[in-house]
């Protein structure tokens, strides 16, 4: 009888422990941030959701901009090739917010992906924010006799950028009567390296209002 009571007690305890563990992680779920909007905002931090929303809108705006389309037409004529695509250098995103820990590389990476998928420009990895040591290392294979030299990249074949894209994010906030309005401004400028002229400018602001709680903002 005592043994049965002990077994039942242990079973009940195990069930309670399992329920506690389940409930502690019951509110955690995985979602795709590319397709799901949470609407969550923080006063001092820029969310990935905000970054993605801006980068998609920015690249769509750039690729359909009248001046950019005109540039592409002239560039193809200049190259004498209807399939010619200009090379774009993507600068590292400038962090001009009050968040020193802002991961601006996430914005740069998202822009890189959107630009490549648009198919209107080639993004260089030989200069700018996308520069990679792997390219330089691969080209050094001309000094390695173990490699077929006819397959090694030759000197003077890297393509310089014709366009440059400069992204920046800033923030501003005002407080009054227990409320704080936070505005973040994302701006991008595209310029022709040859002429130095800016052909496209994009600015998008995302803002939210936050009420002060008993423990602060």
């Amino acid at each position: 009888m005592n043994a049965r009571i002990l077994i039942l007690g242990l079973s009940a305890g195990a069930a309670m422990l399992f329920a506690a563990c389940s409930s502690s992680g019951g509110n955690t779920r995985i979602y795709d941030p590319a397709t799901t909007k949470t609407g969550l905002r923080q006063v001092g931090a820029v969310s990935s959701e905000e970054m993605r929303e801006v980068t998609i809108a920015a690249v769509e705006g750039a690729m359909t901009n009248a001046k950019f389309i005109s540039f592409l037409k002239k560039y193809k004529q200049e190259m004498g090739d209807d399939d010619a695509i200009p090379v774009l250098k993507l600068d590292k995103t400038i962090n001009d917010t009050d968040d020193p820990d802002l991961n601006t590389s996430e914005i740069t990476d998202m822009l890189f992906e959107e630009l490549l998928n648009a198919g209107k420009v080639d993004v260089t990895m030989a200069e700018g924010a996308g520069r990679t040591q792997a390219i330089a290392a691969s080209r050094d294979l001309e000094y390695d006799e173990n490699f077929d030299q006819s397959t090694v990249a030759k000197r003077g074949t890297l393509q310089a950028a014709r366009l440059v894209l400069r992204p920046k994010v800033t923030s501003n906030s005002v407080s009054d009567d227990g409320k704080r309005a936070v505005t973040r401004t994302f701006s991008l400028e595209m310029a022709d390296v040859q002429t130095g002229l800016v052909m496209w400018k994009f600015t998008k602001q995302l803002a939210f209002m936050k009420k002060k709680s008993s423990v602060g903002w």
Side-chain angles (χ1 to χ4, degrees), residues 87-161:
V87 177
L88 179 143
K89 178 176 74 172
L90 177 60
D91 275 353
K92 184 179 294 184
T93 304
I94 298 172
N95 176 16
D96 198 15
T97 72
D98 53 4
D99 177 16
D101 298 322
L102 174 61
N103 185 13
T104 53
S105 62
E106 191 172 358
I107 299 176
T108 307
D109 289 342
M110 288 180 181
L111 283 170
F112 200 140
E113 179 183 3
E114 292 299 321
L115 287 166
L116 285 179
N117 291 339
K120 299 292 182 66
V121 296
D122 286 328
V123 184
T124 180
M125 294 186 70
E127 57 175 312
R131 182 174 57 247
T132 172
Q133 295 301 319
I135 291 179
S138 296
R139 301 179 74 82
D140 286 341
L141 295 178
E142 63 180 296
Y143 303 110
D144 193 330
E145 61 183 13
N146 294 309
F147 287 87
D148 180 352
Q149 293 301 300
S150 66
T151 64
V152 176
K154 307 303 179 184
R155 292 181 179 274
T157 58
L158 288 177
Q159 294 188 38

Side-chain angles (χ1 to χ4, degrees), residues 4-18:
R4 184 178 180 185
I5 293 175
L6 177 61
I7 292 174
L8 290 175
L10 290 174
S11 299
M16 291 177 65
L17 178 61
F18 177 77

